[in-house]
Amino acid sequence: MTRWIIILSGPISSGKSTLAELLAVRFNMKVVKTKQLLMSSLASKGETGGRISLQDEGDKLDKRTKGMWIADELAKLVVNSGRDDSFIIDSARIAEQVKAIRNAFPSVIHVHLKAPLTTLTSRYNKRIKNETGAPSYDKVRENPTELNVGTMEEIADIVIDTDRCTSEDVFIRATSRMSLFSSRRGYVDVIVGGQYGSEGKGQIVDYLADDYDIIVRVGGPNAGHTVPEGEGTFVYHMLPSGARTHQVHLVLGPGMVVNPIKLMEEIAKCNVDVSKLTIDPNVMVITAKDVETEEKLVRDIGSTGSGVGAATARRIMDRRLQGVKLARDIDELDPYTSRKAIDVLSEALAHNKRVLIEGTQGTGLSLYHGEYPHVTSRDTIVAGCLSEAGIAPMRVRRVIMVCRTYPIRVKNPEGGSSGRLSQEINWQIISKRSEIPLKELEEHERGSTTGRLRRVGEFDWKLLQESSFLNGPTDIALTFADYLSNKNAKAFRFDQLEPSTIQFIEEIERVSGAPVTLIATGLGERHVIDRRSW
Ligand code: IMP
């Protein structure tokens, strides 16, 4: 991050100290109060004094050093600070002071604040209300230097009239000059499923987690993301994958739908500290009635019956009624809902942090792009994930689309359809082709949310082409490479994969237009072949 030296100027009560404080808190900048420097200067002579004596001391120092004294003090502080520490000077009063600082440091921004005299006077009066013997505003601006402060406007980089502005407004206007909230700062990568869910997104998110500062989950508890953990696995339903084991901040985006009881259980199971998790206050909450409402849907289309769709429908239909509860209305979630996702994300990106969005389900299950009615209750593609997380498309650096070697669909428990699967086959066929024991496959291939045995099909090239069109992947993560041949499970490098698997990967790259940069060969450690150049 650039080391900024921000010089504030402006008349008394123009809002300088409030701005300095916000910059200090939000961007960890260090405030240099010229008032403090003047007090120290007086103290070194055994003197003390109020505002008027400080003004006089400032004038004396300006005269003696030709305005260099602030730059000199700043130089001492900079030498003893971290490489990227930025400083705010609160405040400069004459042009020479600014010039001296500009001569001594690069990346100096001079922000001049102003407001009409009536506003300044009224703010000042409010401030001194409880002080006895404080001089009037007219008195404090009598000092010739103070009277001239308005001329600093001519040399400033930005001038902000703080009248009719909140302190947040002033903060945003000031930081825009430093591009602190620019879209060029930080980046966002997105993981999406390219088929019908259960593509192994959890494993990929967990594998990549240490490369990010924040992981944002979207969707709802109808998804189950399985992550290898030691000898076994752990299934996440609402928290981002790897929440238990990685030092990342976790965010549940405002478009998410949660089951609060199960979420609290998951938080406890994952031992997630309050400081590590932000739940957007607008996250929708599922009720027992929502789960009940979906019972019919379980029979009709093989829904997971988690209540996500029913809650989503209520979120829209019950806006005038009192029945809708959002995360902000649930007492147990209070510790996690104090900040909005947008505040956490915009601040993180302003600090050049790296964000990963963990999409759920798969493109083929999209409410809009899947084969209705065998779809889920949200748009599962990248655009939908961004919307639920609250991130603009132009922020996105990479889109990693996860695809299985054999796509699956969750079975309908009542024997009815759970949707089209191009060229449906069965686990016996895969067992024979891969030489993985059937029992092992059947144990593994149960829905992580429903426990139902999954249906399976041949790799669907048309679906790959459509998913690629809808998501524009920069990368493909291919999972279950061991299902092509169990020999792949022993491959730690790309060249160790079976020649037919390499051919298959080349074809995926041709059809999708994106490189296959991650290849999962099983669910254990060292089971991801990483070909990324990023
Ligand atoms: P619902 O979203 O629970 O109503 O389910 C609608 C359809 O999407 C059903 O066929 C589910 O099995 C499927 N589905 C929903 N979420 C997932 C998932 O995370 N993985 C796989 N299938 C899912």
Side-chain angles (χ1 to χ4, degrees):
M1 198 162 159
T2 313
R3 174 208 291 281
W4 292 101
I5 307 289
I6 301 161
I7 306 171
L8 304 183
S9 69
I12 296 166
S13 294
S14 54
K16 302 183 294 292
S17 297
T18 309
L19 174 58
E21 213 167 284
L22 279 176
L23 286 165
V25 172
R26 305 270 172 88
F27 286 100
N28 231 346
M29 293 178 177
K30 303 206 165 5
V31 184
V32 180
K33 285 205 169 283
T34 49
K35 183 178 162 185
Q36 222 75 50
L37 299 179
L38 292 171
M39 278 158 85
S40 308
S41 175
L42 276 181
S44 70
K45 293 188 273 181
E47 297 170 24
T48 52
R51 192 182 276 274
I52 307 285
S53 340
L54 292 174
Q55 284 176 338
D56 291 343
E57 182 64 12
D59 290 341
K60 277 186 215 155
L61 280 172
D62 280 335
K63 210 160 161 198
R64 203 171 73 226
T65 67
K66 295 197 172 57
M68 295 271 292
W69 61 280
I70 302 179
D72 289 346
E73 288 299 326
L74 183 59
K76 287 184 214 160
L77 293 170
V78 166
V79 165
N80 294 317
S81 66
R83 207 165 58 96
D84 295 335
D85 284 345
S86 290
F87 288 84
I88 310 151
I89 310 295
D90 176 18
S91 61
R93 297 204 306 159
I94 60 169
E96 279 80 3
Q97 292 171 347
V98 177
K99 201 167 155 200
I101 296 169
R102 284 196 193 279
N103 283 342
F105 300 96
S107 307
V108 173
I109 297 281
H110 176 187
V111 182
H112 183 79
L113 304 184
K114 64 178 189 178
L117 187 56
T118 46
T119 307
L120 295 172
T121 310
S122 120
R123 284 183 193 158
Y124 180 80
N125 288 342
K126 245 187 236 159
R127 213 168 74 200
I128 61 160
K129 207 168 62 194
N130 298 321
E131 284 178 37
T132 43
S136 69
Y137 195 72
D138 283 344
K139 181 77 189 157
V140 291
R141 61 187 288 270
E142 247 174 29
N143 171 285
T145 314
E146 185 59 42
L147 264 183
N148 257 330
V149 148
T151 60
M152 298 282 271
E153 177 173 350
E154 287 158 30
I155 58 160
D157 296 301
I158 344 173
V159 177
I160 302 172
D161 186 339
T162 63
D163 193 25
R164 293 190 243 155
C165 271
T166 65
S167 45
E168 281 289 332
D169 292 335
V170 177
F171 170 71
I172 294 296
R173 291 168 74 186
T175 49
S176 66
R177 176 59 175 76
M178 286 157 263
S179 304
L180 288 180
F181 287 104
S182 147
S183 56
R184 294 188 301 274
R185 300 179 73 84
Y187 58 75
V188 179
D189 294 343
V190 190
I191 303 261
V192 281
Q195 293 148 333
Y196 303 104
S198 316
E199 295 97 348
K201 295 178 290 295
Q203 182 185 10
I204 300 298
V205 171
D206 177 64
Y207 175 77
L208 296 175
D210 287 337
D211 291 351
Y212 298 90
D213 302 290
I214 295 187
I215 307 183
V216 189
R217 243 305 291 265
V218 293
N222 38 4
H225 289 183
T226 306
V227 164
E229 226 186 74
E231 294 295 295
T233 54
F234 185 83
V235 183
Y236 293 91
H237 290 282
M238 282 163 280
L239 292 178
S241 297
R244 275 154 74 94
T245 43
H246 297 281
Q247 289 312 311
V248 285
H249 191 76
L250 313 168
V251 174
L252 306 193
M256 218 183 147
V257 180
V258 299
N259 182 321
I261 300 164
K262 292 195 171 154
L263 177 57
M264 288 309 293
E265 281 170 13
E266 197 167 325
I267 290 172
K269 249 195 224 164
C270 295
N271 214 356
V272 172
D273 190 71
V274 170
S275 62
K276 198 178 159 181
L277 173 65
T278 301
I279 302 177
D280 190 279
N282 277 355
V283 160
M284 178 66 190
V285 165
I286 297 169
T287 61
K289 181 88 194 336
D290 291 325
V291 177
E292 212 182 296
T293 307
E294 284 192 357
E295 276 170 14
K296 201 172 150 336
L297 212 55
V298 176
R299 292 191 294 274
D300 289 349
I301 64 152
S303 165
T304 62
S306 320
V308 179
T312 304
R314 269 194 318 112
R315 185 178 193 158
I316 298 165
M317 289 310 294
D318 292 359
R319 276 173 292 176
R320 286 194 61 214
L321 306 173
Q322 307 279 297
V324 168
K325 280 209 172 12
L326 302 179
R328 65 180 186 216
D329 305 313
I330 306 293
D331 291 346
E332 290 81 356
L333 299 181
D334 256 1
Y336 310 98
T337 55
S338 58
R339 297 197 73 197
K340 294 204 279 185
I342 189 172
D343 293 335
V344 173
L345 293 173
S346 66
E347 196 177 300
L349 289 167
H351 281 89
N352 261 330
K353 303 267 191 218
R354 307 151 301 172
V355 176
L356 179 67
I357 301 180
E358 177 175 357
T360 63
Q361 295 127 342
T363 301
L365 291 175
S366 163
L367 176 61
Y368 308 138
H369 312 290
E371 283 187 27
Y372 196 90
H374 295 103
V375 294
T376 189
S377 47
R378 58 183 287 271
D379 189 13
T380 51
I381 68 172
V382 174
C385 296
L386 291 175
S387 160
E388 288 174 30
I391 294 276
M394 39 107 75
R395 287 271 188 196
V396 175
R397 183 186 69 146
R398 308 208 74 92
V399 172
I400 304 142
M401 189 166 87
V402 187
C403 296
R404 300 172 58 117
T405 46
Y406 294 99
I408 65 93
R409 287 196 87 132
V410 172
K411 251 195 181 138
N412 185 323
E414 303 292 322
S417 176
S418 66
R420 194 187 81 95
L421 198 52
S422 164
Q423 302 188 74
E424 189 158 351
I425 48 174
N426 56 45
W427 296 110
Q428 282 93 327
I429 294 176
I430 294 176
S431 168
K432 210 159 145 206
R433 287 183 192 168
S434 65
E435 294 179 23
I436 297 174
L438 180 62
K439 197 162 162 279
E440 206 177 292
L441 284 176
E442 287 187 344
E443 249 167 46
H444 191 80
E445 290 299 343
R446 297 203 165 266
S448 41
T449 301
T450 58
R452 298 174 211 151
L453 188 67
R454 293 162 172 157
R455 297 162 57 204
V456 65
E458 299 282 10
F459 190 83
D460 184 340
W461 295 95
K462 171 90 173 114
L463 180 59
L464 176 67
Q465 187 255 326
E466 286 180 2
S467 302
S468 303
F469 178 83
L470 290 164
N471 293 300
T474 60
D475 298 77
I476 304 286
L478 181 70
T479 51
F480 298 91
D482 51 334
Y483 284 14
L484 295 175
S485 160
N486 68 355
K487 293 195 187 88
N488 286 333
K490 294 196 184 74
F492 298 116
R493 299 188 312 269
F494 185 68
D495 60 87
Q496 289 174 319
L497 290 166
E498 287 294 285
S500 57
T501 303
I502 292 178
Q503 248 172 33
F504 179 65
I505 287 171
E506 281 171 352
E507 193 148 15
I508 289 181
E509 293 182 333
R510 247 194 324 276
V511 172
S512 67
V516 176
T517 50
L518 295 160
I519 301 149
T521 56
L523 241 196
E525 253 185 54
R526 290 208 65 204
H527 270 128
V528 176
I529 296 175
D530 191 339
R531 305 170 75 210
R532 289 176 300 155
S533 57
W534 44 277

